[in-house]
Amino acid sequence: MLGTAVESLTPVGGGSICAAHRAVLGDGRTVFVKTRDGAPPGFFRTEAHGLERLAGARGGVPVPEVLAYDDRCLILEWVATGVPSAAAAERLGRALAATHRAGGDVFGCAGGDGWIGSLDLPGGPWTSWPDLWAYGRLEPYLRAARRSGAVDKRTVADVEKVIAELPRLAGPAEPVALVHGDLWAGNVLWTDRGAVLVDPAAHGGHRETDLAMLTLFGLPHLDRVLAAYDEAWPLAAGWRERAALHQLHPVLVHAVLFGGSYGAQAGQLARQALRAG
């Protein structure tokens, strides 16, 4: 696909779904190769298109260049990682605001469905963010978690209340934001030039979603990221209290994938979201 031979291939750390390798090519380039046995058609194309969409945001957070992809693999430029710093975190906050400002035409993805981890991610589009969150993010994963036994009856009832009351819980209306969609710390690579984002589930969404996910799983110098973001594009009043609403979807995803305590955490977040509203 790259018009040159692979001289060496070395496994590197990555997620639990795909295999990751560092490849040295015959022309001297070092690249990142991501593969998945039995990947569904379009799996890597969707990720590649998401990276390209994020790359098009003027002043936004950098992403690796997409070099090639097919149904078997995705090949990206190699990103040499470094140590996070407060200055890089502030740059990340400002650049993330620019990424979000790039916006979009619809809530969801006009191009069709995608994936979050190994799970299908409904693409929509939807006419509003509350509809996207209720019927494209919460309801499908609540249904799957219920089937698997990952959530109890109280959690089901509380998440269903959140779904029913989402227009009230969502806060002030926001324009469509171009969001990463799976922005936990593992998808933020720190380099000598600053932060680089990988593994997106990019779509037109709500900018508070990316910030809430960073808060959910933590990030070095997170306070600096959030302060710089709010300075670049001030957030609506009450955004911290609404974080539980935005964190509910990724925790439901984890409940479906991993079970354990994530089901109980989903119930706690649902109740926090209802109280905040």
Side-chain angles (χ1 to χ4, degrees):
M1 291 193 300
L2 295 175
T4 185
V6 175
E7 297 292 333
S8 66
L9 195 66
T10 306
V12 296
S16 59
I17 296 165
C18 295
H21 293 82
R22 179 180 184 268
V24 178
L25 305 181
D27 59 11
R29 284 181 294 169
T30 299
V31 299
F32 175 82
V33 181
K34 183 175 182 179
T35 63
R36 178 185 171 189
D37 291 338
F43 182 81
F44 290 116
R45 180 183 69 244
T46 298
E47 181 174 343
H49 288 180
L51 287 167
E52 290 166 347
R53 188 175 177 187
L54 292 171
R58 184 176 181 181
V61 189
V63 298
E65 181 185 358
V66 176
L67 302 177
Y69 62 88
D70 60 17
D71 281 340
R72 299 167 298 169
C73 70
L74 173 67
I75 303 175
L76 306 174
E77 70 167 310
W78 179 259
V79 176
T81 56
V83 178
S85 68
E90 291 175 1
R91 292 197 299 272
L92 171 58
R94 291 190 292 270
L96 185 59
T99 296
H100 290 165
R101 279 191 184 277
D105 296 328
V106 297
F107 287 103
C109 292
D113 297 345
W115 288 267
I116 185 162
S118 61
L119 301 180
D120 293 343
L121 186 69
W126 284 267
T127 57
S128 69
W129 183 79
D131 279 352
L132 180 157
W133 208 243
Y135 305 114
R137 297 298 181 266
L138 299 186
E139 195 277 333
Y141 301 94
L142 176 63
R143 185 171 64 245
R146 187 176 188 176
R147 283 198 306 267
S148 69
V151 290
D152 60 19
K153 290 182 178 179
R154 182 186 179 191
T155 294
V156 171
D158 288 335
V159 176
E160 287 176 340
K161 289 179 185 176
V162 170
I163 291 170
E165 297 186 28
L166 246 163
R168 178 179 68 84
L169 301 176
E174 289 262 349
V176 179
L178 173 57
V179 298
H180 178 281
D182 193 10
L183 194 56
W184 69 289
N187 289 340
V188 179
L189 304 183
W190 298 97
T191 77
D192 291 341
R193 297 177 289 112
V196 173
L197 303 186
V198 297
D199 295 347
H203 65 278
H206 196 303
R207 61 195 181 116
E208 291 176 12
T209 299
D210 277 347
L211 301 179
M213 190 145 185
L214 286 176
T215 304
L216 176 64
F217 294 113
L219 185 80
H221 307 291
L222 179 59
D223 288 347
R224 296 289 189 97
V225 174
L226 297 177
Y229 184 104
D230 193 43
E231 181 179 329
W233 188 7
L235 291 150
W239 69 271
R240 290 185 184 274
E241 290 72 24
R242 286 189 295 274
L245 175 64
H246 293 268
Q247 292 166 349
L248 184 50
H249 169 245
V251 170
L252 283 172
V253 168
H254 278 66
V256 175
L257 288 173
F258 308 117
S261 63
Y262 289 112
Q265 187 179 5
Q268 293 166 3
L269 288 170
R271 291 184 284 279
Q272 288 177 30
L274 291 166
R275 288 194 299 270

